[in-house]
């Protein structure tokens, strides 16, 4: 497996990770251009979810702080983008994204400074309170945030050079979906690249040490508070980016979409994918985006009426079962399962 | 004298207290589970709702209200016990995030399950006791037979559970099993049984709260405990997860302050009040207002 | 050495998984979503996003399901002009991703995601028909407009659907909240003159526009937040945090008539809390929140007998009249659809939601018939705007639609009903009122006539 060997070696150097990220992004763009428009919406959403999951992965997996407040930071990012887009229709996307990262980080700092002093359930409680207050808070800001309805602005529409590139320039609807998915894939690639660098860096190792043994970390001169707050801020910045992307993809920023349920979903996906791993975040993001199609197919398989009581609730039941079974049998998630499989394979090869 | 009891302030306190004891009950059940098994039970509200459905839907078949309550409590205890055995016990000693996610998954199963069995329509439960408030002359005294029962039974439950933990042998065994399971086993405590018992008691308390919430408010439907779970969690954090009494008082505090905010400020502000109270309390005492000092210093 | 292999395999597997999942999507839906616009010689594909689950779904899910039953019924008879209606319902949980929502919580608007899924249906989507919600449909207005897909018969009383110059393919269906407010105000001025007024409304455009209608109708009620005029946050329909104090204030101020612009769960709570303090004013309730099959009216019974208990406006003949031809037809259609309505029997009473769903479903069938062989999106829009044609559509509604090139709102009024209990609603004066949004717009009235169901539908 020469290709595998080469790819593996790349992971250990910063340049190598850059090459991997570029390669992955290019492959993903090719996929985007080949598949159907509906698949493109799934891929685009998967990207945003992956970014949110990555942020939480850093916070919970690497610095050991269980937080259920990430959707609140996504809301900050989404509304920053929404407010900016409403006033500056033609500014390039990158500005909205950067602004949202900034506001997400600031919000992360404001919440993180008091929150990271808390441990375990109290931290979770604080983040729970934060996220449940965010929705009514945003809605109370009236005109600025569109009240209970939310903000609406133009969604991403394909520039003409891309439409020409992507095949059928007459079919602008498909071109729009392809453009949105491409933008999402590129942003996700960049986010993954930065996160992989962070995982491999000294700061990342400090986080893990603080998580596993804070006494030892302090003895070694690590500033506990700074590391914890730092993780919180970066996690919130990622969430802000994810929120911004989500807003750009849908053309809508609604507070109701960023409540506790989303936080819980991101946490669940994080663990399903494999906490603390990059590949896990990617797989979980895709799973989230494709979940409704997969379950619709399951419904059809069992001949369930999708509008009946059972049919319209089967997604909830199946997803819940998935979480329970995974936690009890494979707590390392999908990434962990794959590791085990290749373990067994390698052992077989060695024999 | 009458004017005092029907004054706006006292009225708000009474309304808030009735709401607050319910929040306090949820907080109490969360604290019970935390004290006995160190698990954050995200499915607390959903389990309570499901058990309430099991019993209270029998009202439609003509059964007496109190019989239905009994059925719900039995269902809750069964549910709590089985949940502990099947879902929670395999995860003791593992990372805390595992048990959180398991309970989250269970929450989804319960809510979607309830919705598929009983549909999402809200069911009104006719109260056996009148819910009309008493009048003193022409003014309203914000207590009714049902709300008296609500406040009275909730306080009794809370005191009973707190006393159980504080003053009885079983209570001591429950706490010991959570804090030091190995030592407790050596001393002859049936640790596993205690862990299950903690969940059983907690689920019964939760189901009782769910029934009262459904009867006094907007009825029984799959997601009616979601908001109360959040408030209960926040109350537990405010009061301190180590203190059953603290949970109750925090719940009362939230209920009363919320009512004052709704009356004197604006209904739209009510959603923030638990958060603000939590933040304030964390600034004052991060481990909970009523927790004994348990810092670890090197 | 071994560990590195594992990680590599993980990356490869992740990419393989992603490609294969993408492949599932690619294989299952055809290459291009547009090109055809959902019409063939034998079928027409339409869709709607509605709350089938979640916090706002109680009752509302019946609307689209009834429309589905109507379409199934007509399909069983061969469709319209040989075309069967392929109606796809997507659950958007009212775009509130709370814990009760059965859809996976995707980041971003569920309504947008589900609308995209509809747009990308293989074979194309002719139009969205009967999607529900104000904020939800505002969110997809631009998307559907820029894709040139008509957005027909939005289930909401907002005036946002009446904007032909910007959104040519967007049409509402029901009477808007302002017009309803004017008609209710007219009733109050004529029958409850001199009694102190109060108002409780939801803190969004529903409450705001309802109040505006009352004011334009000549009542002097202050804006929400003023004396005896209260707003409640939408979450209070579940939490009941503000109603006790609001009602206490109204009672203390001796308010005798209270107008409610609230959703059914909130109305149930308000009536309950009012009964708790022994407060029984004359309630005047918006049609949105008054359906006796959804609201619990057990707490009305203590008012003096002979006095009106609750007054509301409806677009349909009151549902307890089982002799009404349209009611009978709707019941027949629902009975035939056992799959969607397993519990509906010949003794069941129709709910307002069921009538509503049948209303716009029949309107769509009339539109389809009127288009004849020229079934295109452009022709749909121009047929609806052709008043002579569209205003003559026979539908279950008690008054005709008012579409024109400058009016995309839909109905303009309704029937006033008196609600005595959950099983007893009666007409007040047998008159159908109709008006527009303007303060000086006159209110016309016509006698209500029991209409016949067209034979081709029966």
């Amino acid at each position: 497996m020469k290709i595998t060997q080469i790819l593996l070696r790349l992971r250990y150097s910063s340049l190598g990770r850059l090459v991997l990220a570029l390669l992955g992004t290019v492959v993903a763009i090719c996929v985007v251009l080949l598949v159907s428009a509906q698949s493109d919406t799934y891929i685009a959403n998967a990207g945003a979810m992956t970014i949110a999951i990555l942020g939480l992965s850093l916070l919970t997996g690497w610095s050991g702080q269980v937080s259920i407040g990430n959707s609140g930071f996504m809301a900050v990012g989404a509304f920053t983008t929404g407010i900016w887009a409403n006033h500056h229709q033609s500014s390039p996307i990158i500005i909205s994204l950067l602004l949202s990262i900034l506001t997400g980080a600031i919000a992360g700092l404001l919440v993180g400074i008091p929150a990271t002093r808390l441990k375990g359930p109290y931290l979770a409680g604080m983040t729970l309170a934060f996220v449940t207050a965010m929705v009514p808070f945003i809605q109370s800001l009236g005109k600025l945030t569109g009240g209970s309805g939310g903000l609406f602005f133009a969604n991403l529409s394909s520039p003409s050079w891309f439409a020409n590139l992507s095949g059928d320039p007459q079919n602008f609807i498909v071109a729009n979906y392809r453009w949105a998915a491409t933008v999402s894939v590129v942003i996700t690639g960049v986010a993954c690249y930065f996160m992989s660098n962070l995982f491999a860096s000294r700061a990342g190792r400090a986080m893990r040490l603080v998580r596993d043994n804070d006494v030892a970390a302090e003895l070694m001169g690590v500033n506990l508070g700074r590391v914890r707050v730092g993780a919180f801020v970066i996690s919130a910045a990622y969430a802000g980016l994810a929120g911004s992307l989500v807003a750009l993809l849908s053309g809508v920023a609604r507070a109701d979409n960023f409540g506790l349920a989303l936080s819980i979903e991101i946490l669940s996906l994080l663990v399903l994918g494999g906490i603390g791993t990059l590949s896990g975040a990617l797989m979980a993001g895709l799973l989230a985006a494709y979940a409704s199609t997969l379950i619709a197919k399951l419904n059809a398989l069992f001949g369930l009426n999708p509008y009946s009581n059972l049919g319209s609730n089967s997604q909830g039941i199946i997803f819940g079962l998935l979480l329970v079974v995974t936690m009890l049998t494979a707590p390392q998630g999908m990434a962990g399962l794959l590791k085990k499989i290749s373990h067994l394979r390698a052992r077989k090869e060695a024999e | 004298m009458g004017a005092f009891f029907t004054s706006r302030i006292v009225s708000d306190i009474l309304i808030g207290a009735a709401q607050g004891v319910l929040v306090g009950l949820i907080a109490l059940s969360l604290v019970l589970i935390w004290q006995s098994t160190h698990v954050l039970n995200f499915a607390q509200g959903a389990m309570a709702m499901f058990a309430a459905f099991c019993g209270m839907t029998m009202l439609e078949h003509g059964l007496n209200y109190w019989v239905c309550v009994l059925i719900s409590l039995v269902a809750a205890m069964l549910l709590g016990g089985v949940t502990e055995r099947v879902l929670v016990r395999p995860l003791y000693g593992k990372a805390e995030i595992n048990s959180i996610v398991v309970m989250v998954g269970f929450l989804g199963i319960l809510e979607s399950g309830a919705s598929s069995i009983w549909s999402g329509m809200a069911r009104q439960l006719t109260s056996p006791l009148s819910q009309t408030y008493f009048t003193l002359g022409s003014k309203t005294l914000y207590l009714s037979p049902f709300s008296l029962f609500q406040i009275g039974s909730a306080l009794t439950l809370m005191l009973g559970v707190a006393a159980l933990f504080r003053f009885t042998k079983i209570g001591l065994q429950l706490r010991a099993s959570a804090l030091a399971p190995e030592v407790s086993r050596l001393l002859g405590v049936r640790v596993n049984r205690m862990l299950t018992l903690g969940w059983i008691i907690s689920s019964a308390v939760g189901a009782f709260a769910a029934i009262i919430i459904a009867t006094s408010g907007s009825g029984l439907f799959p997601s009616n405990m979601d908001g109360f779970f959040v408030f209960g969690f926040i109350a537990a954090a405010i009061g301190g997860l180590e203190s059953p009494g603290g949970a109750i008082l925090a719940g009362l505090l939230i209920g009363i302050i919320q009512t004052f905010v709704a009356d004197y400020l604006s209904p739209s502000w009510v959603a923030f009040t638990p958060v603000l109270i939590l933040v304030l309390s964390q600034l004052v005492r991060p481990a909970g207002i009523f927790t004994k000092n348990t810092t670890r210093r090197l | 050495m071994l560990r590195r292999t594992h990680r590599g395999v993980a990356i490869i597997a992740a990419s393989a998984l992603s490609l294969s999942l993408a492949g599932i999507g690619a294989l299952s839906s055809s290459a291009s979503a547009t090109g055809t616009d959902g019409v063939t010689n034998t079928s027409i594909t339409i869709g709607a996003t509605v709350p089938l689950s979640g916090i706002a779904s109680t009752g509302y899910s019946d609307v689209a399901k009834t429309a589905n039953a109507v379409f199934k019924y007509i399909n069983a008879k061969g469709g319209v002009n040989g075309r069967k209606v392929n109606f796809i319902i997507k659950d958007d949980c009212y775009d509130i991703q709370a814990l009760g929502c059965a859809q996976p919580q995707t980041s971003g608007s569920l309504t947008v995601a589900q609308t995209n899924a509809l747009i990308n249906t293989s074979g194309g989507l002719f139009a969205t028909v009967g999607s529900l919600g104000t904020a939800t449909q505002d969110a997809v207005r631009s998307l559907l407009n820029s894709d040139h897909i008509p957005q027909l018969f939005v289930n909401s009383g907002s005036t946002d659907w009446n904007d032909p110059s910007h959104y040519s393919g967007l049409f509402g269906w029901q009477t808007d909240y302002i017009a309803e407010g004017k008609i209710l105000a007219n009733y109050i001025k004529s029958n409850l003159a001199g009694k102190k007024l109060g108002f409780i409304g939801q803190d969004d455009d529903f409450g705001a526009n309802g109040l505006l209608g009352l004011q334009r109708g000549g009542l002097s009620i202050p804006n929400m937040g003023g004396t005896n005029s209260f707003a409640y946050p939408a979450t209070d329909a579940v939490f009941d945090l503000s109603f006790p104090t609001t009602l206490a204030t109204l009672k203390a101020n001796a308010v005798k008539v209270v107008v409610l612009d609230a959703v059914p769960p909130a109305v149930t709570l308000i009536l309950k809390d009012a009964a708790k303090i022994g407060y029984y004013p004359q309630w005047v309730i918006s049609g949105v929140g008054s359906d006796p099959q959804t609201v619990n009216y057990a707490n009305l019974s203590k008012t003096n007998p002979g006095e009106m208990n609750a007054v509301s406006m409806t677009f349909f003949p009151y549902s307890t009249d089982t002799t009404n031809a349209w009611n009978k037809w709707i019941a027949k259609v629902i009975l035939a659809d056992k799959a969607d309505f397993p519990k509906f029997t010949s003794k069941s009473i129709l709910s307002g939601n069921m009538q509503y769903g049948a209303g716009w479903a029949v309107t769509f069938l009339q539109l389809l018939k009127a288009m004849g062989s020229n079934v295109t999106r452009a022709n749909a829009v121009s047929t609806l705007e052709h008043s002579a044609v569209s205003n003559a559509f026979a539908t279950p509604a008690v008054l005709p639609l008012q579409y024109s090139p400058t009016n995309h709102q839909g109905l303009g009024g309704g029937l006033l009903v008196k609600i005595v209990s959950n099983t007893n609603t009666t007409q007040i004066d047998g008159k159908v009122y109709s008006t527009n949004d303007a303060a000086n717009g006159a209110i016309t009235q016509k006698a209500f006539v029991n209409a016949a169901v067209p034979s081709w539908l029966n």
Side-chain angles (χ1 to χ4, degrees), chain A residues 276-290:
Chain A
T277 65
L278 201 81
S279 55
L282 281 164
M283 286 190 277
L286 277 166
L287 179 71
Y290 275 89

Side-chain angles (χ1 to χ4, degrees), chain C residues 32-165:
Chain C
S32 159
T34 56
T36 57
D37 51 359
V39 186
T40 69
N41 284 336
T42 51
S43 74
I44 177 167
T45 301
I46 56 175
T49 57
V50 301
L52 285 179
S53 69
I55 214 156
S57 72
T58 53
Y60 286 157
S61 55
D62 276 349
V63 177
K65 279 159 68 170
T66 307
N68 196 28
V70 168
F71 295 135
K72 279 189 189 173
Y73 186 80
I74 216 73
N75 287 347
K77 285 151 61 88
V80 177
N81 293 335
R83 283 193 183 83
K84 298 199 179 175
V85 178
N86 179 21
F87 182 50
I88 307 172
I89 306 177
K90 292 281 188 193
D91 182 6
D92 72 346
C93 297
Y94 210 69
D95 219 0
I96 297 177
Q97 301 193 36
L99 289 166
C101 177
Q103 296 296 311
Q105 317 291 329
T106 62
S107 46
S109 163
L110 257 179
T111 309
V112 171
Q114 295 288 43
T115 306
N116 275 329
L118 285 173
I119 294 174
N120 289 321
T121 310
S122 71
L125 184 81
F126 180 75
T128 66
V129 180
S131 291
L132 194 149
T134 306
T136 53
Q137 292 307 295
D138 276 333
V140 295
R141 261 196 313 185
S142 319
L143 173 64
L144 290 167
N145 191 42
S146 58
D147 286 356
H148 305 309
I149 297 177
Q151 193 178 1
L152 302 177
F153 314 148
V154 175
N155 289 184
S156 138
S158 163
T159 45
D160 289 350
W161 327 125
N162 191 5
D163 191 358
S165 51

Side-chain angles (χ1 to χ4, degrees), chain A residues 232-323:
Chain A
F232 217 90
V233 169
I234 298 176
S235 169
Y238 265 74
L241 177 64
S244 167
L245 183 56
V246 153
L248 286 172
L249 289 173
S250 59
V252 167
R254 291 198 67 202
D256 278 321
N257 289 329
F258 296 102
L260 178 64
L262 181 61
S263 267
I264 291 182
E265 167 110 344
I266 297 175
L267 185 72
S268 314
L269 287 166
L270 169 67
V271 184
L272 269 179
I275 193 168
T277 65
L278 201 81
S279 55
L282 281 164
M283 286 190 277
L286 277 166
L287 179 71
Y290 275 89
S292 48
T293 346
L294 291 171
I295 292 182
K297 288 204 162 54
L298 260 169
N299 268 350
L301 206 67
F302 285 107
L304 226 58
N305 177 359
Y307 312 136
S308 67
N309 275 339
L310 183 57
S312 52
N313 282 297
S314 54
Q315 301 208 93
I317 298 176
I318 292 174
F319 193 74
L321 270 172
L322 185 65
L323 282 177

Side-chain angles (χ1 to χ4, degrees), chain A residues 130-152:
Chain A
F130 164 66
V131 81
T132 42
M134 262 318 245
V135 173
F137 172 68
I138 290 177
Q139 289 177 336
S140 70
L141 292 177
K143 276 270 146 61
L144 184 67
T145 55
S148 51
L151 288 174
F152 313 116

Side-chain angles (χ1 to χ4, degrees), chain C residues 431-443:
Chain C
K431 297 222 173 45
V432 176
Y433 292 85
S434 178
T435 185
N436 59 19
D437 287 351
N440 54 9
I443 301 180

